[in-house]
Amino acid sequence: MPHETLWEIAKAEVEKRGINGSEGDGAEIAEKSVFFIGSKNGVIDEPPKPTLALEYTYGRRAKGHNRPKDIAHFWELGGGTSLLDLISIPITSDTLRMFSLVLVLDLSKPNDLWPTMENLLQATKSHVDKVIMKLGKTNAKAVSEMRQKIWNNMQKDHPDRELIDPFPVPLVIIGSKYDVFQDFESEKRKVICKTLRFVAHYYGASLMFTSKSEALLLKIRGVINQLAFGIDKSKSICVDQNKPLFITAGLDSFGQIGSPPVPENDIGKLHAHSPMELWKKVYEKLFPPKSINTLKDMKDPARDPQYAESEVDEMRIQKDQELEQYKRSSSKSWKQIELDS
């Protein structure tokens, strides 16, 4: 299927499952939200298509007359790490209990991978934690049920149960552009695979790689269906670095992942306060971030070239000049007032 993004796959699944399904009187409504965040232009295939700052669609899955129906809300954050302030819009105390996060990482740009992942997950977790705290004041039972649901992905006798720190909402990490990644040299693929496996397992997340391959897209559709409509999770697993990874939450282990891929005599030289920090140092030793500035980008989408429109931009420049003039005149006025007083 040519030129499909994960967002388009999600929308296609919505349409296939009956976006205009019959409502049915008195039917109980089950709603879920899926939020796509990730690398700028981290699409499955080229060419990338512009994404709005925050895009939304929804769909209904009818189960028959007067029977409960499912509603899926899909959100996509544009701009990579440049629009983090918009994360708060889809994540609220009303949506949180049935909320899932999909983090898309561009495997073809390994130097941007860790900072993109770190910034997006930290920003999202920070906001989710605030919403959970707020929700806990009015509905402690709901918060308790959320936490229990997250821990249910990990078997009670799993050896890593005491070592992980599950993300507060269900998380799926998708590595896109596997068709480019598979041509990397073996050692680079090994580091990327082991690192992402560690991060995913630590956060109690699922991890999978995908590309334009129809077989891989089919797996992604299954994952989206599971998040949006509660379809059964896949139990299949692939941890071979020479193949596209596919690991459902709770099926990996630190023992299988192994230690960070660095010579033993170098481990002691890396000063880290946590396992996550150690893996970060090892990863960035091989793939140093290109530029800190790329993470900050432009927080104002009106200044992003992706959304450029000449007439609007000319008007924007004019308004900016008027605003600056207003600020200067206001400043002079306030100074005059202060002098007069």
Side-chain angles (χ1 to χ4, degrees), residues 259-271:
S259 58
V262 65
E264 287 186 17
N265 56 343
D266 286 349
I267 288 262
K269 299 175 185 176
L270 297 171
H271 301 287

Side-chain angles (χ1 to χ4, degrees), residues 13-290:
E13 287 303 307
V14 162
E15 291 164 4
K16 189 166 69 177
R17 291 195 165 268
I19 194 164
N20 295 315
S22 173
E23 297 262 335
D25 295 331
E28 178 188 347
I29 299 175
E31 297 190 40
K32 293 179 183 288
S33 296
V34 183
F35 189 20
F36 293 85
I37 61 175
S39 303
K40 227 177 184 180
N41 299 331
V43 297
I44 293 175
D45 192 15
E46 299 291 352
K49 298 180 180 180
T51 300
L52 298 175
L54 186 65
E55 194 165 347
Y56 169 79
T57 191
Y58 79 99
R60 292 188 293 267
R61 184 181 71 156
K63 294 183 179 179
H65 186 62
N66 280 348
R67 293 189 62 195
K69 59 189 176 302
D70 297 332
I71 296 180
H73 303 273
F74 292 98
W75 299 82
E76 184 185 31
L77 180 70
T81 57
S82 64
L83 301 170
L84 296 179
D85 292 347
L86 299 180
I87 283 174
S88 61
I89 294 175
I91 306 176
T92 68
S93 54
D94 291 328
T95 64
L96 193 62
R97 279 172 282 180
M98 303 298 283
F99 198 93
S100 298
L101 186 69
V102 178
L103 172 64
V104 183
L105 298 173
D106 188 341
L107 295 175
S108 71
K109 298 178 180 178
N111 296 81
D112 296 337
L113 193 148
W114 187 284
T116 297
M117 174 175 66
E118 184 176 57
N119 277 262
L120 285 167
L121 290 183
Q122 283 182 355
T124 305
K125 187 177 186 300
S126 176
H127 180 68
V128 169
D129 286 343
K130 289 177 185 176
V131 176
I132 287 176
M133 189 175 296
K134 181 181 177 182
L135 180 62
K137 293 177 181 178
T138 58
N139 195 340
K141 182 181 178 183
V143 171
S144 177
E145 288 174 350
M146 275 183 58
R147 287 176 175 151
Q148 184 58 46
K149 184 179 177 183
I150 292 295
W151 278 103
N152 284 345
N153 287 327
M154 181 74 67
Q155 294 179 357
K156 290 184 178 180
D157 59 349
H158 196 291
D160 301 334
R161 197 171 173 87
E162 302 299 321
L163 304 174
I164 67 169
D165 183 17
F167 206 76
V169 295
L171 171 65
V172 174
I173 299 175
I174 295 179
S176 67
K177 299 186 183 177
Y178 175 78
D179 48 330
V180 177
F181 170 81
Q182 66 183 348
D183 293 330
F184 286 5
E185 50 188 73
S186 177
E187 189 58 30
K188 289 185 176 181
R189 282 188 284 112
K190 177 183 177 181
V191 172
I192 295 171
C193 286
K194 291 189 69 169
T195 301
L196 288 179
R197 284 179 65 189
F198 171 83
V199 172
H201 186 56
Y202 181 82
Y203 283 129
S206 297
L207 171 66
M208 52 210 61
F209 290 175
T210 192
S211 69
K212 54 191 174 184
S213 158
E214 183 60 34
L216 293 179
L217 292 178
L218 193 62
K219 286 188 174 183
I220 294 299
R221 291 190 191 101
V223 172
I224 292 172
N225 272 320
Q226 190 276 320
L227 296 176
F229 300 112
I231 307 301
D232 291 341
K233 286 184 180 180
S234 171
K235 296 296 183 182
S236 64
I237 182 170
C238 177
V239 297
D240 185 349
Q241 72 178 48
N242 297 310
K243 297 178 181 178
L245 296 184
F246 190 94
I247 309 167
T248 303
L251 296 185
D252 212 342
S253 72
F254 291 136
Q256 291 178 333
I257 296 168
S259 58
V262 65
E264 287 186 17
N265 56 343
D266 286 349
I267 288 262
K269 299 175 185 176
L270 297 171
H271 301 287
H273 299 290
S274 68
M276 184 67 74
E277 188 179 353
L278 177 61
W279 278 86
K280 176 183 179 179
K281 286 180 179 293
V282 171
Y283 185 87
E284 291 190 339
K285 190 174 181 181
L286 183 59
F287 301 109
K290 288 184 178 179

Side-chain angles (χ1 to χ4, degrees), residues 292-303:
I292 299 298
N293 294 331
T294 60
L295 301 178
K296 297 177 181 177
D297 283 331
M298 294 162 290
K299 287 202 172 185
D300 185 354
R303 302 181 188 279

